[in-house]
Amino acid sequence: MKHVIPLILLLFAILGYAVAEDAFTAISIDDLRANPSLLETHRYVSTGQPDEDLLVQVKSAGYAAVIDLRTAAEDRGMDEPVAVEGAGLTYYSLPIAGGKGVTFDNARALDALLAEIDGPVFLHCRSGNRVGGLLALSASARGASEEDALVIGRKAGLTSLEAVVKERISER
């Protein structure tokens, strides 16, 4: 029995990694405005800053929540919590201050938020870069190789923070 529990934990880690690899995708705001049906095929989407019209499309596509990774000092062009809840979605804030906020602790915090939300989730920062960074670190923490973690991060919007993610992974 004592060998079964580690095997079960390993199986969950592998399944979690496999789900994460294909679950997140980055879709540009312009692509979503032109083709809102892109939302219908993804459980987790990361983009740049949405506006009120896009939030209505997100809700119409069946999404349950929005996770905002922008800090309070960043201009959103609207009162986002009010706009999100006005669209019928639940708003979550997990402020990530640029590259210095792309850490394993914040990746765990994002994973915890995702675990408590029942339904598709719309994640965003300004560009999708912080979202991708945290998802890459999350995959690394679950045992993904550096390259596999970076692939996951890139699928979710990781671009200019890739060097930061590589540094964090190498520090582990």
Side-chain angles (χ1 to χ4, degrees), residues 32 39 53-66 89 122:
L32 279 177
L39 289 166
D53 292 337
L54 186 57
L55 292 172
V56 170
Q57 291 174 349
V58 167
K59 175 63 177 174
S60 295
Y63 279 63
V66 172
L89 298 154
F122 186 88

